Amino acid sequence: MSLAVSAGGHSFYLQAGKGFSISKPKGYKFVPRAALVEATPRVNGSPSSTSIQVLATDRAEELKAEARALARAADASVYSPQLLAKKYGSRPVKAVKRTLEILVALGTFAFKLFLDQKNGALDQNKRKRAAELRTIFTRLGPTFIKLGQGLSTRPDLCPPEYLEELAQLQDALPTFPDADAFSCIETELGMSLESIFSSISPTPIAAASLGQVYKARLKYSGQTVAVKVQRPGIEEVIGLDFYLIRGLGFFINKYVDIITTDAVALIDEFASRVYQELNYVQEGQNAKKFKMLYADKEDILVPDIFWNYTSGKVLTMEWVDGVKLNEQAAIERQGLKLLDLVTTGIQCSLRQLLEYGYFHADPHPGNLLATPEGKLAFLDFGMMSETPEEARFAIIGHVVHMVNRDYEAMARDYYALDFLSTDVDVSPIVPALRDFFDDALSYTVSELNFKTLVDGLGSVLYQYPFNVPPYYALILRSLTVLEGLALYADPNFKVLAASYPYFAKRLLTDPNPYLRDALIELLFKDGRFRWNRLENLLVQGSKDRDFSAKDALQPVLKLLLGPDGEELRTLVIKEAVRVTEAVTLCTFVDTYNSVPSFMRSLIFNGNGALAMSSAELQSMMELRDQVFRIWGLLRSSENFDPAILQPILQILQQPEARSLGGRLVGGITQRLAARLLQQVLRMPMAPTSSLSALDTRYVPK
C-alpha cells in the first residue's frame, strides 16, 4: 500500500515499510523551544472521547487554535497590483532581466506562430505548438506553470488543442534544501522540531511549484501527518512575474483585438487566487469549510487540519492512505471499482457547483485519492472558487433549455450566467448553438460524450464575444477529467448519464421558484402535459440516493395552489380530465374484453361497446399505463409512506384547492357526458372500431 499526500495540486507516495525519522541536515541546528499542546487530539481519524462535554470543549479549543494560526499568518501577503508596481518599478534591472528571459521564450514561440500563419500551416501545427507552449511554461517556473493550468480551463481563450496540452502541466520542480524547510517550520511555529514531531522524513515526500511535503509523526499523539512547507522566496518570484505579466495584459487589451476578454482583469483574478494559495492558513480554512459542506456523505473524505502546527507557510494535516484516481490497477488491487469512485466524484462536483456553490478550483487527478475503505479523498484546497447563487439555478435551467432545444432561451441564459453583458445581441449566437446542439442531441444522454460536448461548446464560445466565468470553466474541466478517468475502466462511460439523476432530483424536489418554472417548462408543451418526461425524471431521480417522493410531491402542489398558479391550474385541470377519462374508459375496455363473446352480443346487440377510433383508444391505453407506472415509481421510493399524503390532504382543504377540485369534477363530468351522448347517438368523430376487434396488446395483462 502507498501513503499519499497532496502538494501543489498533486499527491505523492511513500511505500509502506520504509521508515522515517528526524534527520539533521548538514548545517542545521535544532533550537529547543517550549512545545505547544495540540488542542484537538485525534487517533485514527476519530475523536478521543465520545462524551458530548469533552467534544464541546475540544471544539472550543480547536477554534482557539485556529485563531492562533490566523494570528501567525497575519502578515501573509495579499495580491496588490499597486504594491507590486511600487516595489518593482524601483528595481528596473531585475525587472528587465526577467523580462528578457520571458520575452525570449515567448517571443520565439510567437515567431513560430507567425511563420505558421504566413505559410498557411496554423491549423496543421496547432497541436505541435501547444506542446511547445507547455514546455515553455514549465521552463519559466511556478508562475507560468500556474498560468498554464489556469489557461487550460478557459475555452474562450484557447482552442481545444491548447486546452488539452496545458492540462498536462505538472507542478514538478527540484526540491529546496531540507535545512531551509526545517528552519521555516521552527520559525513559523515558534518551537523546535523535536518538541513537535517524534519523527519526520529526512527528505521531502513531494515537491511542487510552491512548496514541498514531509511525512511526520506528532510527538504528543503519535498520529501520522503531512507537513507542507512553502518554498523560500516564492513570493518574490511570483510577485515579479505577475507585475510583468500585468503589463503585458495592458498591451493585449490595447492592441490585440482577437482576445475579447479583459486580459488585465483575468490576470488580477488569477494572481489573487495564487496569492491565496500561498497562505496555508487560508488553505486550512478552505479544507475545513469543504469538509463541513461535503464530507457529510460517507463516501467522501477530507483530511483534518492541525491548527497548532499550521501557519502562513506551514500546513500540518491528517495523512491520507490511498491511491491516485488515475491508477486503475492499484485501485482494483484494493478490491475497489474505479467507476464507483468516479460516480462519487461527479455527484460531489455537482453538489459543489449547484448546491452550495463552493468548489475545488484546482481539478486534477492527483487531488483525488481512493482510500482502502472505498472513500474518495479530496486533497489540496489552496485554490477554491464559488458559483454565484443566480448562476447555480441558471445552469440547471440551461440544461432544461438544451433538452427542449430552445436555443433562443439558451442564448438568453448566458446573461444570467454572466457569459455576456446585457448589451450584447444574442441573435447571431442562436444559429451556432442550433447547428452544434442539433447534432449533439441526436444522441441519447447515455450516448453523449461530455468532452465532445464541451469541446464543441468551447468552439462556439471561442467564435463569439463570450467571457466565460472561472467557476464555469473549472467545473467543466473537473467533469471532463472525471469522465477521462472513467473511460480507462469503461470506454462506454458517459459523465452526462451519471449526472442526469442529480439534475432530475433537483428539478423534482427543489422548491426554488426558478427551478419550479424550469420543471413546468420541461413538462408542459403547447398546453399538453408530457408524461414521458415526468416518468423519465422519476426514473433518473430515483437513482440518486437522496431522492424522496415526499420532496417531489409537496413543492409541486404548493406551486399549483399558490396565488400565481392560475395558468398552471388551468393546464392541470385539463390534463386531469384527460387522465380520468382515460382511466375510466380503459377500465371499461378491460371489463368489456373480459366478458365472453356471446355475452357481448347479448349486451351490445352485436355492436362495439364504444364509438371510438383504434388510434384514440390506443393513445388512452398508453396514457393510463404511463400514469400507473409513474404512481408505481413514487410508491417504490424507499422512504415512501402513505402518511406523507396527509400534508397534501391538508393543502387540498384550502379554498384554492376546493375550487380546483370543483373545476376538475365539472370537467370530468362534462367530458364523460359528452362521451355518453356520442355513444347514444352513435355519432363518432372518426372511423370507429369495436372493442372486440381491438388488438389484445392494448388490453392490460
Side-chain angles (χ1 to χ4, degrees):
M1 178 183 296
S2 58
L3 300 174
V5 69
S6 173
H10 303 275
S11 54
F12 304 88
Y13 306 89
L14 180 69
Q15 295 299 319
K18 294 185 179 181
F20 59 99
S21 60
I22 293 181
S23 175
K24 297 182 180 180
K26 185 177 180 180
Y28 176 80
K29 295 182 180 180
F30 284 114
V31 180
R33 295 187 179 96
L36 291 176
V37 178
E38 173 62 35
T40 55
R42 299 176 69 86
V43 180
N44 297 325
S46 301
S48 58
S49 172
T50 57
S51 166
I52 296 179
Q53 182 177 1
V54 172
L55 288 176
T57 302
D58 286 349
R59 174 61 177 161
E61 290 299 321
E62 182 183 7
L63 291 175
K64 293 178 182 178
E66 183 178 351
R68 290 192 292 268
L70 281 169
R72 287 192 289 270
D75 59 348
S77 297
V78 177
Y79 176 67
S80 170
Q82 294 75 23
L83 290 179
L84 291 180
K86 182 178 180 181
K87 178 178 181 179
Y88 294 108
S90 61
R91 301 165 68 180
V93 175
K94 188 169 187 176
V96 169
K97 183 178 178 180
R98 179 60 172 168
T99 300
L100 290 175
E101 182 183 0
I102 295 171
L103 286 178
V104 168
L106 296 181
T108 302
F109 176 76
F111 183 69
K112 290 180 179 180
L113 287 181
F114 171 75
L115 292 178
D116 287 344
Q117 187 174 21
K118 185 177 181 180
N119 298 328
L122 195 62
D123 291 335
Q124 179 183 345
N125 292 335
K126 193 174 288 185
R127 178 73 61 181
K128 178 180 178 182
R129 298 299 175 229
E132 290 176 354
L133 183 61
R134 172 173 55 84
T135 302
I136 290 171
F137 280 170
T138 302
R139 190 169 64 248
L140 286 176
T143 307
F144 285 87
I145 291 174
K146 291 291 184 185
L147 179 61
Q149 289 181 332
L151 288 174
S152 72
T153 67
R154 298 304 301 256
D156 56 330
L157 297 179
C158 300
E161 293 84 358
Y162 282 78
L163 297 178
E164 292 179 11
E165 284 293 333
L166 294 178
Q168 298 178 33
L169 282 171
Q170 303 291 321
D171 287 13
L173 293 178
T175 62
F176 60 88
D178 298 306
D180 292 346
F182 293 158
S183 177
C184 178
I185 294 174
E186 290 196 329
T187 301
E188 287 288 308
L189 300 182
M191 63 189 85
S192 69
L193 256 66
E194 290 175 316
S195 65
I196 306 172
F197 308 115
S198 59
S199 59
I200 188 170
S201 56
T203 57
I205 302 302
S209 60
L210 303 184
Q212 59 194 35
V213 176
Y214 295 85
K215 182 183 179 185
R217 183 171 289 120
L218 292 176
K219 187 171 184 178
Y220 85 97
S221 68
Q223 182 165 359
T224 304
V225 294
V227 184
K228 184 157 69 171
V229 186
Q230 193 170 114
R231 186 178 295 273
I234 190 69
E235 292 181 17
E236 182 75 15
V237 174
I238 288 179
L240 176 58
D241 283 348
F242 278 123
Y243 165 71
L244 299 174
I245 294 172
R246 196 170 190 270
L248 179 63
F250 281 109
F251 178 84
I252 291 173
N253 282 350
K254 188 172 183 178
Y255 298 107
V256 182
D257 295 333
I258 192 174
I259 297 180
T260 57
T261 300
D262 185 346
V264 173
L266 176 64
I267 292 167
D268 285 344
E269 180 182 346
F270 182 71
S272 297
R273 296 188 186 282
V274 173
Y275 267 76
Q276 288 176 14
E277 195 172 358
L278 291 176
N279 184 348
Y280 286 175
V281 172
Q282 180 64 55
E283 179 175 349
Q285 291 184 314
N286 293 342
K288 176 183 175 181
K289 182 176 180 179
F290 192 91
K291 185 183 183 80
M292 178 186 69
L293 292 177
Y294 308 116
D296 57 325
K297 304 300 181 184
E298 60 182 14
D299 47 11
I300 297 295
L301 174 64
V302 179
D304 286 327
I305 304 300
F306 293 84
W307 294 109
N308 276 332
Y309 309 126
T310 294
S311 70
K313 297 181 179 180
V314 176
L315 176 63
T316 303
M317 66 185 118
E318 178 184 2
W319 185 272
V320 178
D321 294 342
V323 179
K324 286 196 296 186
L325 211 58
N326 58 358
E327 296 183 358
Q328 182 183 351
I331 290 175
E332 291 178 348
R333 282 197 296 269
Q334 296 187 77
L336 305 176
K337 293 182 179 179
L338 176 59
L339 290 182
D340 291 343
L341 293 161
V342 170
T343 300
T344 297
I346 290 171
Q347 296 300 313
C348 188
S349 294
L350 291 171
R351 289 186 71 205
Q352 291 174 53
L353 174 67
L354 302 174
E355 210 158 306
Y356 296 105
Y358 184 74
F359 68 94
H360 204 289
D362 190 16
H364 188 279
N367 291 336
L368 301 171
L369 299 182
T371 71
E373 299 79 23
K375 295 185 178 184
L376 180 64
F378 282 81
L379 303 174
D380 195 347
F381 302 92
M383 295 181 72
M384 307 296 289
S385 188
E386 294 191 47
T387 309
E389 184 176 13
E390 182 182 8
R392 295 178 220 162
F393 301 120
I395 289 172
I396 298 178
H398 196 60
V399 172
V400 171
H401 295 147
M402 182 182 71
V403 171
N404 285 342
R405 303 194 184 211
D406 187 349
Y407 302 121
E408 289 80 7
M410 284 184 68
R412 292 192 297 271
D413 287 337
Y414 295 128
Y415 294 137
L417 290 170
D418 202 25
F419 279 32
L420 296 169
S421 61
T422 54
D423 59 346
V424 175
D425 181 15
V426 297
S427 56
I429 302 171
V430 174
L433 292 173
R434 180 179 291 108
D435 291 342
F436 172 68
F437 282 104
D438 273 347
D439 180 59
L441 295 177
S442 63
Y443 300 95
T444 64
V445 173
S446 61
E447 295 173 332
L448 190 57
N449 183 288
F450 186 74
K451 186 178 183 304
T452 301
L453 185 63
V454 172
D455 288 346
L457 184 57
S459 298
V460 174
L461 300 182
Y462 188 64
Q463 297 172 26
Y464 294 93
F466 282 94
N467 179 28
V468 179
Y471 73 84
Y472 188 81
L474 288 169
I475 204 68
L476 287 183
R477 181 190 171 195
S478 177
L479 294 174
T480 303
V481 167
L482 288 169
E483 182 175 60
L485 292 170
L487 290 175
Y488 286 109
D490 180 6
N492 297 316
F493 182 87
K494 299 294 183 290
V495 72
L496 286 181
S499 304
Y500 197 60
Y502 177 86
F503 281 96
K505 181 203 72 173
R506 286 293 301 275
L507 281 171
L508 287 169
T509 63
D510 198 311
N512 179 272
Y514 188 97
L515 297 187
R516 294 270 61 80
D517 292 343
L519 178 61
I520 293 170
E521 184 178 345
L522 185 67
L523 296 180
F524 284 91
K525 183 179 182 180
D526 300 329
R528 296 294 294 269
F529 190 84
R530 295 188 277 192
W531 290 95
N532 61 318
R533 288 279 177 88
L534 178 58
E535 182 179 8
N536 188 41
L537 284 175
L538 287 169
V539 168
Q540 295 297 329
S542 61
K543 295 178 182 178
D544 190 285
R545 70 186 66 179
D546 297 326
F547 176 77
S548 167
K550 177 180 179 180
D551 293 338
L553 287 171
Q554 296 195 52
V556 173
L557 278 173
K558 289 180 180 178
L559 175 67
L560 178 64
L561 302 175
D564 300 324
E566 178 58 34
E567 183 178 354
L568 178 61
R569 285 194 287 271
T570 301
L571 293 174
V572 168
I573 289 171
K574 179 180 177 181
E575 197 62 31
V577 169
R578 195 166 73 94
V579 170
T580 303
E581 179 187 28
V583 172
T584 302
L585 294 182
C586 290
T587 301
F588 181 80
V589 168
D590 292 342
T591 303
Y592 177 83
N593 285 338
S594 66
V595 175
S597 57
F598 74 91
M599 292 185 64
R600 297 179 197 169
S601 300
L602 293 176
I603 297 173
F604 298 101
N605 298 319
N607 296 319
L610 292 175
M612 184 183 300
S613 70
S614 297
E616 186 179 7
L617 185 55
Q618 175 185 350
S619 176
M620 284 193 173
M621 287 284 192
E622 291 174 349
L623 175 60
R624 190 272 307 266
D625 293 347
Q626 196 163 43
V627 171
F628 285 175
R629 286 198 302 271
I630 289 171
W631 176 244
L633 286 170
L634 289 172
R635 294 186 61 189
S636 65
S637 176
E638 67 177 43
N639 58 355
F640 181 83
D641 185 341
I644 70 172
L645 297 177
Q646 185 174 355
I648 297 175
L649 295 176
Q650 294 174 357
I651 293 175
L652 292 176
Q653 293 174 7
Q654 298 175 4
E656 295 86 351
R658 289 197 295 270
S659 173
L660 181 65
R663 292 163 63 186
L664 177 59
V665 171
I668 294 171
T669 303
Q670 184 180 20
R671 184 70 174 172
L672 293 178
R675 282 286 181 191
L676 178 61
L677 182 61
Q678 182 185 47
Q679 182 67 22
V680 170
L681 299 178
R682 308 296 286 175
M683 295 176 57
M685 294 176 288
T688 61
S689 170
S690 72
L691 294 181
S692 58
L694 184 65
D695 193 315
T696 55
R697 68 175 178 270
Y698 303 131
V699 180
K701 302 297 183 184

